[in-house]
Amino acid sequence: MPLSLLACLLVLLVLRGLANNEVFHDTRIAVSVDKTTVPENLLKGGPVIDARGAKNAHPVSYRIPDRTVVLSFDDGPSPQWTPKILDLLKKYDVKADFFVTGSMTTRNPELIRQIVAGGHELGVHTFTHPDLVYQSHARIAWELAQTQVALAGVAGVHSALFRPPYSSDASALDDWNYPVIKYVGAHGYLTAFIDADTDDWKRPGVDAIVKAALPPQPGAGRLVLLHDAGGDRAETVAALEQIIVKLKGEGYRFTTISDALGASSAMVPVHGYQLWVGKAFIGATQVAVYSLPVLVGLLAVVGFLNFGRFGLMLLLAPVHARRAKKPGLWGPPVTAPVTVLVPAYNERECIAHTLNSLAASDYPIEVIVIDDGSTDGTSEIVEEMNLPFVRLIRQVNGGKSTALNTGIAAASHDIIVMMDGDTVFEPATVRELVQPFADPAIGAVAGNAKVGNRDSLIGAWQHIEYVLGHNLDRRMYDMLNIIVTIPGAVGAFRREALDQVGGMSDDTLAEDTDVTMAVLCQGWRIVYAERARAWTEAPASIQQLWSQRYRWSYGSMQAMWKHRRAVTAKGPAGRFGRLGLPFVVLFGVVAPLLAPLVDLFFLYGVLFADAPATLYSWAGFILLQCVLAWYAFRLDREKPWHLITLPIQQLAYRQLMYVVLLQSSITALTGGRLRWQKLRRTGEVAAPVEV
């Protein structure tokens, strides 16, 4: 469903691009060359060439009869000028031909219907107005067929009349464009060139336009070219009335091409499948045209949120880094023993590494391992290690929150550190993590989670995400006092704060986010301890990564919804509800959900619009990301060589996270339920990584 939604948005962009003549737009114009293959009778014949059917091998041309004038208008219809022209034609009871483009037809369907209702004749002028000399047969066929689809959808008709873009009179036929005329003739089209090119698109003046339209010899027939779109056509409108009045005064008859040649109308009604395909195309295009301002507005929201987030990070992260360097920042050193809780479910591969890292801690700790119904011998490994500071509690499987509550109840100390069973602490991690508790206003501390298995490509991408997206965010949120997630891999709580919120809740799949929000609502301050590093084993496959992030996203949305009433609450809860919660919703849900628009517009720009400008813009965005990531790595004292994978991450990993968030949102909106999903661990993060 998420992929289908993104595909539909891309289709809407393409349809809008077609309607605005941006997609497949080719501005090349061929220069006339030799005429060795063009029959002499065509070069010296009339403006209408018939290369249909049996005549394809030897096309013939027709002239407009004497004292007959056909007025033809190219490039429309235009909402500004076509109505004025139609009013003049109606005023003088004149019928004319309108060679319309498919793109203008889709944008102005009502004008097409007015043209047909006025008794005028429609002709095909391609869909995107390219010089067909440079186009393949497949492209030419598409240009014609798609214009016919547009005409069917708008007016319920097809037209057998065709005029190539950038054409003039038949004498301009050459070895390049003559094959195009034969090709379209083989597909049933009658090609209409002109006798008189008024050059009205150059705006030469009303008198010049009138002079060019008049027959050079009294009584001669005339097929006149004018334009009802493509620029300022005020001179065309003014000249048109003079042309009609003058030639009518001389006894000329005004009619359509088909009528002038004594043929039935070039327009034929369509029914059934062709009609409904046309209506569907026009309907979808209209939706695309009218939805574009909405998409552009949402894109602006994405830009504002992302650049606003970047700005806040660059403003607040240095302040946080300088604050962290101050000696005695929180008060006297905290030296009292603390309890470390290790909830474990089937952590056979990792639990020994976890406990060995705690054994190397330079801070006095009590460790409680809560085996939540493991079936792989996790408890036996803990018992065999026989560490004196470790207590093992076995319980029936009840989930992580239940295991943590069991540990909280059994804890001997007032400060409780929580870590995952696949996480490795550095010797100084616990000491650094608990120092902020010297300030009695602090209820919880978030540590610095690091990706231990970062040597693979997917591990490097997650490493960048942790440093840039998680830890740099936490610096910003710390300065705003709205940290909303204490990472399960490394965090600490004051027991009093946990007691006030009723411990860990199983209402959501993101119990760490849920309890953090609850602690904030009680008025406790939560800070980020950047030196309290913990090394965790990140998912090693796309499937495992998908499962983890799907659960994170869904659980975070559950937590946001659970604490929604904080928006209208008073006191600390109200502050969180009106500041913290909007930040999380905007930066954690809205911006990521809308972010695919950036990539869709990028893809649209590269494939259909201005590829160089789009690529330059994208490169600028990547460069900005690289600068921000380098700064984040510098603050975290990380070696930046993993950043060489950042451009690829932006093209692949980020899109995966989009789809995960979209699927999580759809699951949440549809009321779906997501079960806890256990990730397979390898135990490869065996010791702290040197940085």
Side-chain angles (χ1 to χ4, degrees):
M1 189 181 291
L3 292 175
S4 299
L5 178 61
L6 293 176
C8 288
L9 288 175
L10 181 59
V11 169
L12 284 178
L13 283 178
V14 173
L15 287 174
R16 181 264 173 193
L18 285 171
N20 287 274
N21 204 15
E22 293 175 352
V23 175
F24 308 135
H25 189 49
D26 189 343
T27 58
R28 295 175 297 172
I29 302 175
V31 179
S32 181
V33 294
D34 296 335
K35 305 174 183 291
T36 57
T37 63
V38 185
E40 191 72 16
N41 67 304
L42 298 184
L43 293 172
K44 296 181 178 180
V48 181
I49 296 178
D50 188 356
R52 297 174 296 179
K55 299 175 183 176
N56 190 256
H58 303 286
V60 297
S61 64
Y62 303 99
R63 295 185 183 277
I64 302 300
D66 290 345
R67 294 206 167 272
T68 301
V69 174
V70 175
L71 298 174
S72 63
F73 300 89
D74 282 10
D75 299 346
S78 157
Q80 183 176 5
W81 303 109
T82 303
K84 293 181 172 65
I85 290 171
L86 289 174
D87 288 344
L88 277 177
L89 297 177
K90 182 178 181 181
K91 177 181 177 181
Y92 293 101
D93 193 24
V94 170
K95 307 304 179 189
D97 281 78
F98 288 82
F99 289 89
V100 298
T101 65
S103 62
M104 295 294 279
T105 298
T106 58
R107 280 149 61 187
N108 305 291
E110 185 56 37
L111 290 178
I112 296 294
R113 287 189 278 267
Q114 289 180 26
I115 291 171
V116 174
H120 307 290
E121 193 168 51
L122 291 172
V124 173
H125 200 43
T126 73
F127 199 94
T128 64
H129 203 272
D131 191 331
L132 297 182
V133 165
Y134 290 113
Q135 312 307 320
S136 66
H137 282 175
R139 172 68 182 273
I140 295 172
W142 179 87
E143 291 279 346
L144 300 176
Q146 203 62 32
T147 306
Q148 298 285 25
V149 169
L151 291 177
V154 168
V157 298
H158 281 173
S159 175
L161 270 181
F162 167 72
R163 176 174 289 163
Y166 309 109
S167 60
S168 58
D169 57 41
S171 66
L173 280 169
D174 55 47
D175 293 344
W176 284 6
N177 56 33
Y178 178 57
V180 173
I181 305 308
K182 295 193 68 177
Y183 178 80
V184 299
H187 286 74
Y189 287 91
L190 190 69
T191 302
F193 288 104
I194 56 172
D195 289 311
D197 189 349
T198 62
D199 282 336
D200 62 330
W201 60 275
K202 297 179 181 178
R203 298 175 62 190
V206 174
D207 292 341
I209 295 174
V210 173
K211 181 178 179 181
L214 298 178
Q217 299 175 351
R222 202 76 161 151
L223 178 47
V224 180
L225 170 61
L226 296 162
H227 294 81
D228 62 332
D232 187 345
R233 296 292 172 253
E235 291 182 358
T236 302
V237 174
L240 175 62
E241 186 163 23
Q242 293 187 30
I243 293 169
I244 294 174
V245 170
K246 184 171 181 59
L247 292 179
K248 275 209 167 190
E250 295 178 5
Y252 276 82
R253 177 175 72 103
F254 288 86
T255 189
T256 63
I257 293 174
S258 296
D259 185 65
L261 299 180
S264 58
S265 174
M267 297 188 305
V268 294
V270 294
H271 306 282
Y273 174 76
Q274 291 179 323
L275 178 63
W276 288 108
V277 167
K279 288 184 178 296
F281 173 73
I282 293 299
T285 304
Q286 291 296 304
V287 170
V289 169
Y290 289 112
S291 65
L292 182 71
V294 177
L295 295 179
V296 171
L298 293 175
L299 185 65
V301 170
V302 173
F304 174 78
L305 291 176
N306 281 321
F307 284 105
R309 175 171 167 264
F310 290 162
L312 282 174
M313 283 180 174
L314 293 175
L315 179 66
L316 298 177
V319 178
H320 182 276
R322 288 193 297 269
R323 188 192 71 178
K325 294 178 181 178
K326 292 180 180 179
L329 171 64
W330 308 111
V334 175
T335 58
V338 300
T339 299
V340 179
L341 302 184
V342 186
Y345 174 69
N346 288 346
E347 298 289 357
R348 174 176 182 156
E349 292 82 3
C350 307
I351 193 66
H353 299 317
T354 299
L355 296 181
N356 283 330
S357 74
L358 292 173
S361 176
D362 63 8
Y363 194 87
I365 57 175
E366 166 198 46
V367 177
I368 301 178
V369 177
I370 308 97
D371 186 339
D372 190 40
S374 297
T375 58
D376 66 344
T378 297
S379 294
E380 287 74 10
I381 294 174
V382 175
E383 289 177 331
E384 288 173 6
M385 294 182 71
N386 196 29
L387 297 173
F389 59 91
V390 175
R391 279 195 287 156
L392 174 65
I393 299 177
R394 290 186 176 92
Q395 68 174 34
V396 176
N397 181 259
K400 186 177 181 181
S401 58
T402 302
L404 286 171
N405 283 331
T406 299
I408 293 169
S412 305
H413 304 294
D414 291 332
I415 295 176
I416 298 173
V417 175
M418 298 180 184
M419 68 184 298
D420 289 334
D422 61 351
T423 301
V424 172
F425 276 9
E426 294 179 1
T429 298
V430 175
R431 173 170 49 82
E432 294 289 350
L433 189 62
V434 301
Q435 292 311 305
F437 288 108
D439 184 343
I442 291 176
V445 180
N448 189 347
K450 296 286 189 181
V451 174
N453 52 332
R454 60 178 66 174
D455 291 333
S456 65
L457 183 60
I458 190 172
W461 287 346
Q462 292 175 85
H463 172 45
I464 294 172
E465 180 189 26
Y466 271 60
V467 175
L468 176 59
H470 293 179
N471 295 336
L472 200 60
D473 268 342
R474 285 197 181 97
R475 294 178 188 273
M476 174 181 71
Y477 289 141
D478 184 350
M479 298 307 298
L480 297 172
N481 192 26
I482 53 171
I483 291 179
V484 295
T485 300
I486 302 292
V490 53
F493 292 86
R494 198 181 294 273
R495 180 192 286 272
E496 182 183 353
L498 289 174
D499 289 343
Q500 284 183 0
V501 300
M504 310 298 290
S505 170
D506 61 359
D507 293 339
T508 74
L509 289 178
E511 72 288 325
D512 46 6
T513 299
D514 185 5
V515 73
T516 307
M517 290 181 176
V519 169
L520 278 174
C521 287
Q522 290 298 319
W524 292 97
R525 185 180 172 194
I526 298 176
V527 297
Y528 170 56
E530 61 179 273
R531 294 191 182 92
R533 289 185 290 267
W535 301 86
T536 186
E537 182 179 332
S541 69
I542 294 294
Q543 182 178 1
Q544 290 185 356
L545 178 65
W546 180 285
S547 297
Q548 183 196 65
R549 299 311 168 87
Y550 187 22
R551 175 174 55 82
W552 283 5
S553 298
Y554 184 79
S556 296
M557 291 178 190
Q558 286 179 311
M560 294 174 203
W561 182 251
K562 177 180 176 180
H563 295 279
R564 65 190 182 279
R565 291 185 178 84
V567 174
T568 58
K570 297 180 180 179
R575 182 185 183 279
F576 166 71
R578 290 183 286 276
L579 179 62
L581 202 55
F583 259 76
V584 179
V585 172
L586 289 174
F587 293 146
V589 179
V590 176
L593 277 178
L594 297 180
L597 288 175
V598 177
D599 299 299
L600 289 176
F601 275 95
F602 165 72
L603 190 61
Y604 174 85
V606 169
L607 296 178
F608 306 118
D610 190 340
T614 303
L615 290 172
Y616 285 137
S617 300
W618 185 257
F621 175 74
I622 294 295
L623 181 61
L624 178 62
Q625 285 280 81
C626 287
V627 170
L628 191 63
W630 173 84
Y631 180 64
F633 270 59
R634 183 172 178 271
L635 286 181
D636 253 21
R637 296 181 293 280
E638 289 279 3
K639 296 177 181 178
W641 70 270
H642 285 100
L643 292 178
I644 61 175
T645 65
L646 181 62
I648 304 176
Q649 186 208 41
Q650 294 296 305
L651 294 173
Y653 181 82
R654 194 162 52 89
Q655 280 66 26
L656 176 65
M657 295 300 101
Y658 292 160
V659 178
V660 169
L661 186 60
L662 278 172
Q663 185 173 355
S664 302
S665 302
I666 292 169
T667 302
L669 290 173
T670 56
R673 300 292 298 174
L674 186 64
R675 295 179 302 167
W676 182 272
Q677 295 163 324
K678 169 67 180 172
L679 300 182
R680 185 178 63 84
R681 303 298 186 182
T682 64
E684 59 183 299
V685 181
V689 180
E690 294 296 329
V691 296

